[in-house]
Amino acid sequence: MFTVLLLLGLTLTINMGFVAASDNQSVTTSNSSNSQVTVLSNSSSNTTSNSAAGSIDSSTTTTQTIKVLIYNGNYAATSCVKGLKTALDSANTNNLVPGYYFSYATSTVINSSTLSGYDVLAMPGGSGGYYYLQSGSISGTAIKNFVRNGGGYLGICAGAYAAAQYTQGYYNGWGLAPNVTCTHPDHEGDLTIQITSTGQQILNLSGTITVAHYNGPAMYVSGNAMVFATYADDIIRSNGMAAIVGDYYGEGRTVLSGPHPELDPQYPDIVSNLIVWAANLTADPTPTPEPDTDTVSLGQLSSTAATVKSYFEANKTLPSTVTINGNTVSMPQFLYLLATGTANISSNITSDITIKSVNSAPAPSGTYKSGNIQKSEYVQLAKDIITFINTNGRVPNYKQTTLGKISFSKLVYMYSKIINYYNTYSRLPNYVSMSA
């Protein structure tokens, strides 16, 4: 049996929200004609089964049936439950994923008992990831065991926040995506995402599409995590950051999505293909470079600088990588982009910056005193950093300034502050303040 855990979440806010389901417990079974018999019980779960309507005969030997358990208990939004059901119905009716048939059931409780016998657990959204983590109706231990032992997980919005390693400034998640960190954009409405070359292999889609978004995460990835789609506009100041990602936890696969493909405008093909990948029913995509996307605009650089600045201030360390315009960029590469962006802005150059290969500092170090570095100094320092990287193929361990030796990581932070200022005021600051 292939197993998958699908956790979908509509995050209206991170910590404030509503309760969208009752605590009544019932079990509903169904047959292929979609007739239902509901039996009230005092069991520990409320499960309602329903074969997803469609023209595919799930009994044929050439079709693999994937069973989906949808959470509809406390903190779940009715619209997301309905959206998931109609997406699966459409996937079956229109044979969107040839060779696969999707059936689903609903439950107000998620534990090892309710997970048993299902291939997919779907948890549609509502109040936020924090409420999922704290809910007595949802066993994080059972979910982690489920995925660790080969199950899959698809979290959308609140479900993504709950499953990530960490949400900046808020809380640690279940860690089902150990190489993914979430930031929290504040936006409700449609926006655009760009399908990456890796995503094209999973979703059978390409290009830029418009999707619904309700405060869902923009994500940093590292390690083995893959980016299936990135944010394609700057509505949430996250242009180029990851919108849909895939990661691994034990023997299982995890998918996190910031936007809502199950809502209007609905993409049943995205929902169903993500389920198939998370179920470990398809091979990993072959890594291929994103064509013609090895450049970064000043807008994309500015947005990423803002998130790196916030990350460093919250964690006192840099993220391992950032995703810009569909590219996974290391911190040494990011310093090159920041320095080049600073130098270009000072010279009124607004053209895109090419990402280049840059090695790490072999022995980063440095001490300095608190104070301000004036514009003329940090602009010249940026030019010196560019020259050093082009000459040595790596970032410096530190750079000497009027405040002392500023280490590599603090250089990244300093120029993130500078470019973030540019993002806000459309000009470089007169000086940048640095605390020892």
Side-chain angles (χ1 to χ4, degrees), residues 208-360:
T208 302
I209 61 173
T210 299
V211 290
H213 182 265
Y214 293 91
N215 302 322
M219 294 167 280
Y220 296 114
V221 301
S222 61
N224 293 326
M226 296 176 291
V227 179
F228 298 151
T230 60
Y231 290 103
D233 54 43
D234 207 27
I235 292 176
I236 61 173
R237 285 188 160 182
S238 298
N239 192 338
M241 290 185 66
I244 305 176
V245 303
D247 203 357
Y248 302 88
Y249 184 75
E251 297 298 319
R253 292 179 176 182
T254 300
V255 175
L256 307 183
S257 177
H260 286 267
E262 84 284 11
L263 298 180
D264 185 28
Q266 189 180 75
Y267 296 90
D269 46 353
I270 292 181
V271 173
S272 53
N273 276 297
L274 288 176
I275 290 173
V276 172
W277 185 83
N280 206 4
L281 299 178
T282 57
D284 279 334
T286 302
T288 55
E290 194 70 19
D292 301 324
T293 59
D294 59 346
T295 59
V296 175
S297 69
L298 283 179
Q300 293 167 338
L301 179 63
S302 299
S303 298
T304 309
T307 54
V308 171
K309 171 182 174 291
S310 298
Y311 186 95
F312 188 88
E313 290 171 349
N315 301 281
K316 308 307 179 187
T317 188
L318 296 171
S320 299
T321 61
V322 291
T323 302
I324 314 178
N325 200 21
N327 296 279
T328 300
V329 176
S330 68
M331 286 297 100
Q333 291 176 304
F334 190 55
L335 179 59
Y336 173 80
L337 294 173
L338 290 169
T340 303
T342 300
N344 286 355
I345 293 168
S346 70
S347 300
N348 296 315
I349 298 172
T350 59
S351 57
D352 290 355
I353 306 168
T354 300
I355 301 171
K356 68 176 299 177
S357 177
V358 183
N359 293 322
S360 301

Side-chain angles (χ1 to χ4, degrees), residues 8 78-88 261-263 266 271:
L8 298 175
T78 303
S79 60
C80 291
V81 175
K82 181 179 178 181
L84 181 59
K85 290 179 178 180
T86 57
L88 294 178
E262 84 284 11
L263 298 180
Q266 189 180 75
V271 173

